[in-house]
Amino acid sequence: GGVRKMKKKKEANKEAKRAATEARAAAIKEKKEAEEKRLEEDMARKDAEDAREKEMEEEDLKRKEEAKKKEAEEYEQWKASISVETQGDEEDRIAAESQDLLQEFIEYIQTTKVVILEELAAHFNFRTEVAFNRVQELESNGTITGIFDDRGKFIYITPDEMQAVADFIKRRGRVSIAELAAESGKLINLDAA
C-alpha cells in the first residue's frame, strides 16, 4: 500500500512538472510569436512611413517643377497681354521690360511681406483692383504664396514658412485655430526684408 501511494505521488509530481514545463514552453512560444508579430508590424509601419516620405518628396519635387512651369506660363501671359505694334528689337525690349516689371512686382511683394494693396497699386501705377487681380493671379499659379486679410492686405508667406506651419500641424496632429495662430505668429516673419 505505502509503496503504491509513493509511486502515485511521484507520478503526480512528474506529471505536474511536465505540465509546468509545457506551460512555460507554451508561454515562451506565445511571447516569441507576439514579439515576431510586433517586429513585423514595426517593419510594415516603417516601410509605410518610408513610402509616405518618398511620396512627399516626389510631390514636393513635382510642385517645384509645376511652379517653374507656371512662372514661365505667367511670363508668357504677361508678355502676350502687352500689345506691340513694331517688330524686332522693339518687341524684344518691351518683352524684357515686361519680364523685369513682373519680377520687380514679385520682389516688392516678397520683400514687403505685409503688402497693403493700395500702396502696391500706387507703387506700380495700377488701380487697386488691378493690383489685387495680379496678386491673386500670381498666387493662383503658385508664383507666390500667402493670404489676403479682410483689410486690403496680402501677407506673403515663403515656402519655407508654409512648410514650417505644415510640419507643426503634422507634429501636433489636431490643433485649434488659436494654437495655429499663435504658432504661425512665431513661424512666419512679418517684417519687411
Side-chain angles (χ1 to χ4, degrees):
V3 173
R4 197 179 283 158
K5 276 186 182 178
M6 285 199 32
K7 273 189 177 180
K8 277 188 177 179
K9 200 173 186 180
K10 272 188 179 180
E11 282 182 34
N13 281 344
K14 279 185 182 179
E15 191 62 39
K17 282 183 181 179
R18 192 173 23 255
T21 303
E22 287 175 7
R24 259 195 313 276
I28 290 171
K29 183 179 178 186
E30 193 175 296
K31 192 174 184 179
K32 192 174 186 178
E33 286 173 356
E35 180 69 17
E36 286 175 2
K37 185 177 180 184
R38 190 184 62 72
L39 283 172
E40 284 176 20
E41 288 172 354
D42 285 350
M43 287 178 66
R45 195 172 20 257
K46 184 169 180 6
D47 289 347
E49 285 174 8
D50 289 348
R52 252 194 319 274
E53 197 172 296
K54 185 177 179 182
E55 190 176 302
M56 286 172 59
E57 287 173 1
E58 288 172 359
E59 284 176 16
D60 191 39
L61 186 63
K62 192 187 293 182
R63 249 194 324 273
K64 286 178 182 175
E65 288 173 3
E66 287 175 9
K68 282 183 181 177
K69 185 178 173 185
K70 285 180 182 177
E71 193 171 322
E73 288 172 3
E74 174 69 17
Y75 165 70
E76 292 302 320
Q77 283 179 335
W78 278 48
K79 192 167 98 173
S81 70
I82 298 173
S83 63
V84 179
E85 305 292 319
T86 60
Q87 296 296 320
D89 293 339
E90 184 67 12
E91 188 175 280
D92 292 341
R93 186 185 64 76
I94 290 175
E97 284 177 10
S98 169
Q99 180 62 27
D100 290 345
L101 183 63
L102 171 61
Q103 197 55 46
E104 188 181 335
F105 190 80
I106 293 168
E107 286 173 5
Y108 180 89
I109 292 169
Q110 291 173 336
T111 56
T112 307
K113 288 289 279 180
V114 179
V115 180
I116 298 170
L117 293 173
E118 288 176 357
E119 290 177 7
L120 177 67
H123 185 81
F124 287 94
N125 297 319
F126 293 151
R127 290 193 338 267
T128 304
E129 185 181 334
V130 171
F132 174 80
N133 290 340
R134 293 274 164 91
V135 172
Q136 236 180 356
E137 199 175 302
L138 289 170
E139 185 190 27
S140 70
N141 73 23
T143 304
I144 59 173
T145 52
I147 54 173
F148 287 96
D149 75 358
D150 55 352
R151 290 170 283 191
K153 293 179 189 168
F154 177 78
I155 301 168
Y156 171 70
I157 302 173
T158 68
D160 290 342
E161 291 168 338
M162 200 73 96
Q163 188 61 48
V165 172
D167 290 345
F168 167 74
I169 293 170
K170 284 179 192 168
R171 242 189 351 265
R172 291 284 305 273
R174 186 180 288 181
V175 292
S176 70
I177 301 264
E179 289 174 313
L180 183 59
E183 192 64 23
S184 294
K186 293 177 196 169
L187 297 175
I188 298 172
N189 177 14
L190 298 177
D191 298 327

